[in-house]
Amino acid sequence: MARTIKKLPMLPAERALKVISGRWKAVILYYLFDGPRRLSALKALMPGITQKVLIEQLREMEEHGLVSREIFAEVPARVEYSATPLGLSLEPILLALCQWGQHHADELNERQRLADCIIRPRQAAEASAN
């Protein structure tokens, strides 16, 4: 990796939160859990994000080993982003955060304001497809 990783916190929980913090990182990872995607495809899936922010979030996740970028030698050049094994290991964590968010909304009687969780366990999704 050519870039130097910014110094991360020493406390493991704080380190984890620092690496996944960002308004869009969980959403980007969700879409990459299903396989590689081009920048334009990611942008189309998230109309509320600017291209600048999308690129910044992808670069940060690449720097932290969650996302990889592959450049294909084509004209015009094609670039695909995919979740690394380290990034994929966040899937159950993001599911747990989503479930906790639902619980929190329930406790505050705000469940009707929530969208459905976008994260679902890969194993359950694969089992139901078979």
Side-chain angles (χ1 to χ4, degrees):
M1 214 180 267
R3 293 169 44 133
T4 304
I5 294 178
K6 296 176 187 137
K7 188 166 181 148
L8 291 170
M10 296 302 291
L11 183 65
E14 186 181 7
R15 179 186 184 100
L17 289 171
K18 179 77 172 168
V19 169
I20 64 170
S21 68
R23 163 68 178 89
W24 295 99
K25 287 182 183 175
V27 179
I28 294 167
L29 279 171
Y30 165 74
Y31 288 121
L32 294 179
F33 287 159
D34 289 332
R37 296 197 189 260
R38 296 176 74 167
L39 185 69
S40 58
L42 285 169
K43 176 70 177 91
L45 291 166
M46 298 176 285
I49 191 173
T50 65
Q51 186 158 327
K52 176 182 182 274
V53 170
L54 176 58
I55 291 169
E56 287 171 356
Q57 298 277 277
L58 284 164
R59 284 184 182 156
E60 286 178 23
M61 289 191 294
E62 185 179 8
E63 181 178 331
H64 292 122
L66 305 179
V67 169
S68 65
R69 178 178 48 154
E70 185 174 0
I71 302 169
F72 294 86
E74 299 174 359
V75 177
R78 177 169 54 108
V79 179
E80 286 186 347
Y81 294 89
S82 56
T84 64
L86 185 60
L88 289 170
S89 73
L90 283 167
E91 193 169 23
I93 295 162
L94 294 178
L95 174 63
L97 284 171
C98 184
Q99 291 168 337
W100 187 87
Q102 288 176 327
H103 172 69
H104 182 263
D106 286 341
E107 291 294 314
L108 299 178
N109 295 317
E110 294 183 342
R111 182 66 178 258
Q112 70 282 358
R113 295 183 54 220
L114 288 187
D116 290 333
C117 277
I118 59 168
I119 307 295
R120 77 270 182 247
R122 179 174 306 284
Q123 297 77 14
E126 289 172 356
S128 67
N130 293 331

